[in-house]
Amino acid sequence: MSRQQPVMLEPVFQEKIWGGERLKAVFGYGIPSSRTGECWAISGHPGGDCRVRNPAFAGETLGSLWQKRPELFGHTGGDAFPLLVKILDAREDLSIQVHPGDSYAQAHENGAHGKAECWYILDCDEGASIIIGHHAASREEMRELVGQGRWKELLREVPIKKGDFFQIDPGCLHAIKGGTLLLETQQSSDVTYRFYDYGRLENGRPRPLHIEQSLAVTQAPFHPCEPEQETVRQGDAVVTRLIACPCYTVYHVSLDGRWERDWDKPFVNISITGGQGALDGVPVRAGDHLLLPAGYGPAVLEGRLELVCSHL
C-alpha cells in the first residue's frame, strides 16, 4: 500500500474594506485587488472552500474531500471540516466585534457553530496594537458606554509585536487594527457580530451593526485568556505549543536544518509562514498550506522554515 500524500491546498482570497496588498508582497499570492483582506488558507467552509492541488484528488475541494474520503481525516465525524486557517492583512482597522459560542450560534444562527479563534502575529507596523476585551465592570455599564458612544473608555487596547499570540474565546470583544499581518486558527464558522465600525461606508452605506446580539454574548466583566505555552527543541526545530483548548491545539515551529515528527492525529494543518525547504522531499515555501492526513506517519521537514501547525 503506497503512503498517504500531504493534501496540498489552493488559498481562497476575500476582498475587504480594510484589506491591502501585503498578501502579494509577503507571499507572492495573485490577489484579486489592492483591498484583499483575507487568505482562507485551509478551509472547507462554503464561504471559501479551498481547492485541492494534488492530481490524485483532481476537482475536489477540502469540503468535498471531507464528505467523500472520511478516512483521510481519521473518521473524525461531524458535518464539515472543523477548523479554518486564515492569513489576514489589515491595512486599516477592522470593526469592533464579537463571536458567539456554540450554544448561542446554534440557537440563533440556524444551527451554525460558534467561533473560538486565535491570532499569531506574523508582522506588524511599529506601534501597532489590537483591541482585546473591555473595561466595563458589568453588562449594564457596557450597554451604557456603547449607547453613549464612549468607545475610548470601553475598549482595552494592547500593543503588539511580531511573534505575539492571542486567544480570542467566544464572547471576547476584539478587533485587529491597521498595520497588522496575522495567521488566525479558528473553528470553521463565519458568525460575527459587529459592535462598532467607525461610521465607515461601504458602497455608500454603513455596514450593518449587531448591537443587541453583541451585548447578549460579550463576556462582562472581561477576563484575559493567557494560554500556558511550552517550548521544546526537537532536532533542529524550536517547537512552541501556543495553546491547547477544546477546539484546537496550535504550534509555532522555527526550523533550521531537519525535523522529524510523527503527529499521530486524525489530521494536521501546516502553514509555511516563512522560508523554504522540503516536506518528505516535496519543495515547500512561505505561503504554502497543506494537511497531513490520518496515518501519514513520520513527517520530515528540512530547510530554513517558519510554520504554524494545528490539529483538533
Side-chain angles (χ1 to χ4, degrees), residues 230-241 251-263 299 301:
E230 178 183 83
T231 299
V232 295
R233 179 169 271 284
Q234 297 174 349
D236 297 322
V238 177
V239 182
T240 301
R241 190 193 66 210
Y251 305 83
H252 176 264
V253 181
S254 184
L255 171 64
D256 188 358
R258 184 180 188 277
W259 177 50
E260 180 175 339
R261 177 161 177 165
D262 188 345
W263 289 89
L301 275 157

Side-chain angles (χ1 to χ4, degrees), residues 3 259-264 279-280 292 295-301:
R3 184 177 179 179
W259 177 50
E260 180 175 339
R261 177 161 177 165
D262 188 345
W263 289 89
D264 195 25
L279 169 66
D280 291 320
L292 299 182
Y296 183 84
V300 177
L301 275 157

